[in-house]
Amino acid sequence: MKKWTKGGRRLMAGLLTGTLLMGLSGCQKEPEPVTEPEPVDGEGTNRTDYNAPKEIQSKDITAFSTSFFQANRWTSTENHTFEFRVSPDETGAVTALEENSGVRVPADETLLRSVQEIIDKYDLVKKNGVYEVNYSLSPEYQKCTLTADYASGEKLSFTDLNDPYAQWSEEIYDVFSQWFLQQGNESLLPEKETSPVSRIGFAYEQDFIEYDYSVVRVSEESAVDGELYPLMLTVYDRKEEKSVSVDYRKVPEDFYERITEILFRYDPVTKYDFSRYSHKNNNYGNHEDGYFGWGGSPTEEEPDEEGESVSLHLEYEDGKHITIETRKHSELEGMKPMIGELADYYSSLFKR
């Protein structure tokens, strides 16, 4: 996957050039019409309307468009630049479109309400009237745009220097990519991991009781039905700090196939790759803090749960590997369906 660093962001302020001011002088009765020049490479342009309203009463968006470069979101072709639009098509049907790929799907007020929630969450109306671009910057910083037309006739519109790490654009991407996915179109998402799982370590803790499943090497004397690499289950009481039981089973022939099928339904790899960046700390330490994309993007530090945890180590045949270890409530809640399926399958292998 393509990776983006934070260093370019710190250089942005030093790269900005002076503002280009436009005006007319003289006292002609009928001044000649003035055409705004297009932005030129190497120049900064600021044509902000400082009188644009900074409050919009309506919440009913009738048309929407935005364009941006997002460092922490990409498609299967590793494209990070997105242009989303929601508007009636030639037949009058409301359609969601991603301009760069040309893909479109039906849309309705549900999608537009989700967009409005992001506008409210990040108070984007405060940017209304902003127009600032700078083509001397790296392409990912040059500009972003957003326009929302409202049923009341009000309008939100801005063109600003792009922040490739902006949380609002990340969430806009998430809303649209999930909407497209719900309509049966996966084109805005990276390709799912399709390689079979080759190794797995899985443990979860409930009410201070930890269940730890792993494939281990045993001696010939301890072989399970002749198997030197059986599946081991250890149960440990963390409150009492003592082992409860240790058990072994022969690994079924279709074990990794079943594990791969379960994981494929939940796509933990994309969540893992999309959740590296910490908006709270402005670094790529989200995983170290216990966040892996299952509970949304944290806005403040979440305390660890007592007596509840998940640990999942995966290796795929194509070399991809991920490690998830967390005690965060939001993550554990988001992972519940996947963890439940894995736990049910594992426990079925140890039934007498």
Side-chain angles (χ1 to χ4, degrees):
M1 287 296 180
K2 192 173 183 179
K3 299 296 183 293
W4 293 89
T5 65
K6 195 77 167 114
R9 193 178 186 187
R10 301 191 184 101
L11 294 175
M12 184 173 66
L15 291 172
L16 296 180
T17 63
T19 304
L20 182 62
L21 300 176
M22 301 295 300
L24 294 174
S25 61
C27 51
Q28 297 171 315
K29 287 185 178 180
E30 295 183 4
E32 292 293 324
V34 176
T35 302
E36 296 275 6
E38 290 297 317
V40 179
D41 286 357
E43 294 185 1
T45 300
N46 190 326
R47 296 200 296 268
T48 296
D49 176 6
Y50 296 100
N51 295 317
K54 297 301 185 283
E55 290 184 7
I56 291 178
Q57 299 303 315
S58 178
K59 302 294 183 185
D60 298 322
I61 298 176
T62 57
F64 174 80
S65 64
T66 186
S67 64
F68 51 79
F69 179 102
Q70 175 47 244
N72 297 303
R73 294 292 184 268
W74 56 88
T75 66
S76 60
T77 59
E78 296 193 9
N79 178 37
H80 291 255
T81 302
F82 301 96
E83 295 185 38
F84 295 114
R85 179 159 54 86
V86 182
S87 61
D89 63 13
E90 57 275 5
T91 69
V94 179
T95 302
L97 168 69
E98 202 290 303
E99 297 276 3
N100 293 324
S101 60
V103 295
R104 63 180 67 207
V105 297
D108 60 26
E109 66 277 2
T110 304
L111 174 59
L112 292 172
R113 279 199 298 268
S114 297
V115 169
Q116 182 60 42
E117 288 174 4
I118 295 172
I119 290 173
D120 289 339
K121 179 178 179 180
Y122 295 99
D123 207 11
L124 297 182
V125 70
K126 293 295 189 292
K127 289 177 172 280
N128 200 20
V130 168
Y131 187 98
E132 186 173 4
V133 298
N134 193 316
Y135 287 88
S136 68
L137 302 176
S138 298
E140 63 267 27
Y141 292 98
Q142 289 174 2
K143 73 171 185 176
C144 68
T145 68
L146 185 146
T147 299
D149 296 328
Y150 291 87
S152 62
E154 296 170 289
K155 185 170 186 173
L156 166 62
S157 181
F158 66 80
T159 298
D160 200 2
L161 299 174
N162 188 61
D163 177 359
Y165 304 90
Q167 194 165 358
W168 71 264
S169 62
E170 183 178 293
E171 292 188 17
I172 288 286
Y173 164 89
D174 290 343
V175 162
F176 274 89
S177 62
Q178 289 305 306
W179 181 266
F180 274 62
L181 182 61
Q182 290 166 17
Q183 311 302 313
N185 190 310
E186 301 181 5
S187 60
L188 296 180
L189 293 164
E191 290 184 5
K192 275 185 166 184
E193 180 63 63
T194 57
S195 179
V197 174
S198 57
R199 293 184 65 183
I200 179 172
F202 172 55
Y204 68 97
E205 182 183 351
Q206 288 183 335
D207 297 325
F208 296 94
I209 303 298
E210 182 182 70
Y211 304 85
D212 191 336
Y213 298 93
S214 58
V215 175
V216 297
R217 173 70 160 87
V218 296
S219 65
E220 292 186 6
E221 294 78 13
S222 302
V224 178
D225 296 330
E227 177 62 68
L228 296 177
Y229 292 89
L231 182 63
M232 179 177 71
L233 164 62
T234 61
V235 181
Y236 187 82
D237 188 327
R238 288 199 169 275
K239 189 172 285 187
E240 298 294 329
E241 296 185 346
K242 65 177 184 180
S243 176
V244 175
S245 63
V246 179
D247 203 355
Y248 298 87
R249 289 290 187 276
K250 187 173 182 177
V251 178
E253 290 186 5
D254 65 347
F255 174 73
Y256 289 106
E257 180 181 342
R258 293 286 304 277
I259 292 295
T260 300
E261 289 174 356
I262 292 172
L263 294 172
F264 184 82
R265 286 194 284 274
Y266 297 97
D267 195 13
V269 172
T270 298
K271 289 183 177 66
Y272 186 90
D273 289 341
F274 275 7
S275 63
R276 295 177 184 275
Y277 188 74
S278 169
H279 292 282
K280 179 172 62 71
N281 298 319
N282 296 324
N283 61 29
Y284 282 94
N286 227 23
H287 293 171
E288 287 78 2
D289 292 337
Y291 299 103
F292 297 88
W294 296 83
S297 185
T299 56
E300 58 185 34
E301 186 63 28
E302 186 179 335
D304 287 345
E305 287 288 303
E306 292 292 331
E308 307 285 333
S309 68
V310 164
S311 177
L312 183 62
H313 304 271
L314 299 174
E315 291 186 18
Y316 292 85
E317 287 187 4
D318 64 2
K320 179 73 175 182
H321 58 88
I322 66 174
T323 296
I324 297 172
E325 294 182 343
T326 185
R327 290 182 175 273
K328 304 301 182 185
H329 176 76
S330 60
E331 294 289 308
L332 297 174
E333 283 296 306
M335 275 189 261
K336 261 186 178 180
M338 181 183 72
I339 298 306
E341 277 203 59
L342 286 173
D344 287 345
Y345 174 59
Y346 272 104
S347 64
S348 71
L349 301 180
F350 283 85
K351 287 182 179 178
R352 296 285 182 183

